Amino acid sequence: MARTVNLPGGTELPLIGFGTWQLRDTTAYETVRAALEIGYRHIDTATLYKNESEVGGAVKDSGVDREQIFITTKLRPQDARHARRALESSLRQLGTGYVDLWLIHWPTDRDALVPTWQELLSAKEAGLTRNVGVSNYSPAEIDLLTDATGQRPAVNQIPWSPAQHDPALLDEHRRRGVVVEGYSGLKNTDLNDPVLTEIAQRHAVTPAQVVLRWHLEHDIVILPRSSRRERIAANFDLDGFALTPEDVTAIDALTRTG
């Protein structure tokens, strides 16, 4: 799937990424290899996941040109005081001279928010990362970074699912020019919900595929994760059907109330 979103620096970010949280050792290596063979060109990892070396090995052994693969890793807040050293360690583990996106995994203490962001911007200036962003930040925290430095995060990676759908929050990001990456979209969804099963049956796909396609209809980057090759393939195979506007509205309405 060639569908991408342009980041501020001109980098094309594939809307379908492969998430690697909780994938370790041989499983991490084999699943990333499988994802790249299937056609994924966006791999999401983090220092916290402790699988960067396996991800890097899979990328290297895949035979796919490094320039064709968008790699994201993330800085742990506790590493904020030595952020550059943490990124250099990630690059060694990944076996690459740069990452395409480096995120702060969670907000740091308030007094460290801006200094940490400045460290990310410095790493970008040095060519160690092509884009910088955040994860689990509020619009107010994003504004704090932007106001202090004049440079906004390219991406905010936050939990997103039909149950957590928040059009107002999405609009807050769009108005700021910040791309939303949704994580745990399947984990936080009841895939047996009658609304999803009915739509899936009508389109001859799985409820998981319906949920992932729904994210794409809202231009939200998805990061599905699986250790099973057939599911990795199914999560990528989202072009063979289209949700109707009524389908999208019905899924939007699954948002939790109260």
Side-chain angles (χ1 to χ4, degrees):
M1 188 180 213
R3 198 185 300 210
T4 60
V5 60
N6 285 327
L7 298 182
T11 312
E12 290 192 349
L13 168 63
L15 277 167
I16 304 179
F18 182 69
T20 64
W21 178 58
Q22 291 185 324
L23 298 177
R24 303 285 281 274
D25 307 323
T26 307
T27 302
Y29 174 84
E30 290 175 350
T31 54
V32 173
R33 278 294 301 271
L36 292 169
E37 285 168 13
I38 286 160
Y40 289 79
R41 291 297 179 264
H42 172 189
I43 308 295
D44 182 273
T45 183
T47 299
L48 181 73
Y49 301 168
K50 297 183 177 173
N51 61 15
E52 289 170 315
S53 62
E54 289 80 9
V55 168
V59 168
K60 182 171 178 252
D61 295 346
S62 70
V64 180
D65 182 359
R66 166 68 185 92
E67 287 287 314
Q68 300 298 312
I69 303 173
F70 190 104
I71 300 175
T72 299
T73 195
K74 308 180 196 80
L75 173 74
R76 300 182 305 176
Q78 60 262 46
D79 296 333
R81 292 183 184 277
H82 45 91
R84 178 70 69 91
R85 205 183 325 150
L87 178 57
E88 288 168 350
S89 172
S90 288
L91 294 177
R92 281 194 300 275
Q93 296 277 328
L94 288 162
T96 183
Y98 69 95
V99 288
D100 298 276
L101 179 62
W102 191 31
L103 306 177
I104 309 172
H105 212 147
W106 284 279
T108 58
D109 293 337
R110 192 164 181 83
D111 61 348
L113 283 171
V114 171
T116 306
W117 180 236
Q118 288 169 327
E119 284 292 317
L120 268 73
L121 294 173
S122 168
K124 183 184 172 192
E125 284 288 314
L128 301 179
T129 179
R130 291 187 168 173
N131 302 274
V132 288
V134 295
S135 183
N136 301 301
Y137 275 56
S138 68
E141 288 165 330
I142 289 171
D143 288 344
L144 184 70
L145 305 184
T146 308
D147 292 345
T149 63
Q151 296 193 58
R152 68 178 183 268
V155 165
N156 189 18
Q157 189 178 119
I158 53 180
W160 207 273
S161 67
Q164 298 159 304
H165 185 54
D166 186 340
L169 181 59
L170 201 52
D171 187 55
E172 291 282 330
H173 285 81
R174 298 271 150 83
R175 288 194 295 108
R176 289 164 173 79
V178 177
V179 172
V180 172
E181 288 189 345
Y183 71 82
S184 297
L186 298 178
K187 179 172 175 278
N188 293 331
T189 299
D190 175 9
L191 295 175
N192 293 314
D193 186 286
V195 171
L196 298 176
T197 56
E198 186 280 323
I199 293 171
Q201 198 166 19
R202 187 155 30 85
H203 291 289
V205 295
T206 67
Q209 286 173 306
V210 168
V211 171
L212 294 172
R213 178 75 198 210
W214 168 83
H215 281 75
L216 299 184
E217 296 293 340
H218 286 293
D219 289 324
I220 294 168
V221 179
I222 54 173
L223 304 165
R225 166 185 58 91
S226 179
S227 57
R228 292 170 52 187
R229 188 184 179 98
E230 63 271 22
R231 282 204 185 150
I232 296 170
N235 291 342
F236 189 73
D237 182 20
L238 304 174
D239 261 353
F241 71 104
L243 299 178
T244 67
E246 293 76 18
D247 291 339
V248 174
T249 300
I251 299 167
D252 289 353
L254 296 175
T255 306
R256 291 192 202 101
T257 55

